[in-house]
Structure formats: structure tokens, C-alpha cells
């Protein structure tokens, strides 16, 4: 509890967050363990699942990039500090609100690691915020976590995606099965998604869907591109989430 939110929550009783600080027993992070922890927190405490924010410093900054890169749908916004990630994750991260922090004179984690992520996300179509402290070394977290603007920025964001489960069926082919996908909420009633998966053992399909909420379900329809041989097929189904 020496840095950041774990330290702040001890002294600020009005701090408007439930703070959870997982520790890695070795170098690196196991995303499946982090997801299990978050599932437990959401089940045990009064936490809004659409207002989960992720931040970390140094190795925690790497963990922030890694976890969000694999499961961006779990977070409303992230703030990695003096870390680095995999630029290949940029496509999955591009729609997530991101504020990146790094010291220009960091001799532990080079500034280039954050720059590479920001550039990759921008190239993918995203618009991350990026703060570089010109005189800071590796400790770019003290100034960041002491800045109320960061917490105000977090609270401005609410998750705009949902994970849905359901069933689908092809109108022409009769193919069907279980559906598990990330759906982007367009407004109060409408949803859109692109779902890729396997049908059988040997070919991949992609369904581009649009849906509309009906009570506790989203009824959707869309098209699946089954390739040159089979062409475009219509699909329909329902999801809950």
C-alpha cells in the first residue's frame, strides 16, 4: 500500500472506488486468474460491472496492457503507467478509453514501450490519451496517481460492450450452435457485433449481426460469409446477457 489507489483508499474515506490490487507471485500475469478474481469481486461486492477500471504501474502497467488486450470487454477504461504491451492487441484495444503515462527519462522500462502501443492503437483507429513527463524517470506513477483528473476521467466512462450468450441458426443451411460474443451497444435499444467462429471442423465463418432488445433478450439477424464456395448466408437467433 505504498503507491496509488491502495495508498489513497486508506486515507480518503470518500474515494469512490472499490480497490482491488492483485499481486503476481512471479514475473508476468495469468489472465485466467485475474478474470477469476474479477468474477469473484463482482459476485461478492456491490460493484457496477459497467464501471470497472484498470490501472497499474511498472509490471502492473504490463499487466494492464496484457489483461485489457485479451479481455477489453471487461473494462470501462484503463490507465497503464510505465509499462508495455503487445502492439498486435491494438485492434482489440482501439475502442477502449485509454490514458497512457510514462516518464521520458525512464531507464527501467523505455518510453518506447508505451509509444509503440499508442502508435499501434492510433493506426488501428483508436484515440488513446498519452501523457509523457519530460523530467520523470521510472517513477511516473506518483504524479499520475496524485492527479484527481485521472479519477474524474475514469468516472466519465462506462462500458459500452456486453458479453452475450445465445443460439444461432442459418436460414438456408440449417447450421446452428451456441453463440458467445462481445456486442457493442449502439444506444439504448440497438446492438451490433461481428462474431467469428468455427462450424464443424474445417472452416471458419464470420457473422456480422445487428440486434434489438426485446424485454430481457436481444433478437438479432445478420449475414455470414462462408467463403467463395458457399457465399453469403442469413442467420438469426436470440441472445441474453
Amino acid at each position: 500500500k505504498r503507491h496509488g489507489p491502495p495508498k489513497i483508499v486508506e486515507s480518503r474515506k470518500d474515494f469512490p472506488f472499490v480497490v482491488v490490487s492483485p499481486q503476481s507471485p512471479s514475473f508476468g500475469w495469468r489472465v485466467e486468474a485475474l478474470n477469476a478474481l474479477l468474477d469473484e469481486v463482482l459476485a461478492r461486492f456491490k460493484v457496477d460491472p459497467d464501471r470497472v477500471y484498470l490501472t497499474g504501474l511498472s509490471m502492473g502497467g504490463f499487466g494492464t496492457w496484457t489483461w485489457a488486450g485479451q479481455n477489453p470487454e471487461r473494462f470501462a477504461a484503463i490507465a497503464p503507467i510505465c509499462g508495455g504491451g503487445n502492439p498486435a492487441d491494438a485492434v482489440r484495444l482501439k475502442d477502449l478509453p485509454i490514458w497512457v503515462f510514462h516518464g521520458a527519462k525512464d531507464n527501467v522500462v523505455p518510453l518506447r514501450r508505451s509509444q509503440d502501443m499508442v502508435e499501434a492503437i492510433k493506426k488501428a483507429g483508436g484515440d488513446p490519451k498519452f501523457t509523457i513527463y519530460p523530467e520523470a524517470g521510472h517513477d511516473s506513477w506518483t504524479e499520475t496517481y496524485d492527479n484527481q483528473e485521472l479519477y474524474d476521467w475514469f468516472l466519465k466512462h462506462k462500458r459500452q460492450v456486453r458479453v452475450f450468450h445465445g443460439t444461432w441458426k442459418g436460414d438456408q443451411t440449417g447450421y446452428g450452435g451456441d453463440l458467445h460474443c462481445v456486442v457493442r451497444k449502439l444506444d439504448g435499444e440497438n446492438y451490433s457485433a461481428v462474431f467469428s467462429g468455427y462450424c464443424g471442423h474445417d472452416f471458419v465463418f464470420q457473422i456480422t449481426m445487428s440486434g434489438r432488445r426485446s424485454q430481457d433478450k436481444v433478437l438479432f439477424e445478420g449475414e455470414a460469409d462462408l467463403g467463395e464456395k458457399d457465399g453469403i448466408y442469413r442467420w438469426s437467433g436470440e441472445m441474453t446477457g
Side-chain angles (χ1 to χ4, degrees), residues 166-170 174-180 198-199 205 220 235 238:
T167 58
W168 52 269
K169 184 176 182 180
Y175 289 129
D178 294 328
L179 175 69
H180 173 88
Y198 290 91
C199 189
F205 63 86
F220 70 89
W235 302 80
E238 63 182 34

Side-chain angles (χ1 to χ4, degrees), residues 1 5-19:
K1 299 180 179 180
K7 178 181 178 181
I8 294 171
V9 76
E10 289 288 300
S11 60
R12 277 189 55 184
K13 300 306 179 183
D14 63 340
F15 197 56
F17 300 93
V18 174
V19 177

Side-chain angles (χ1 to χ4, degrees), residues 5 13 51 80-81 86 103-104 110 135 145 156 158 171 199 206:
K13 300 306 179 183
R51 291 189 179 277
I81 304 171
N86 183 356
E135 299 302 320
Y145 287 137
K156 290 178 182 177
K158 189 173 182 180
D171 294 344
C199 189
Q206 183 177 85

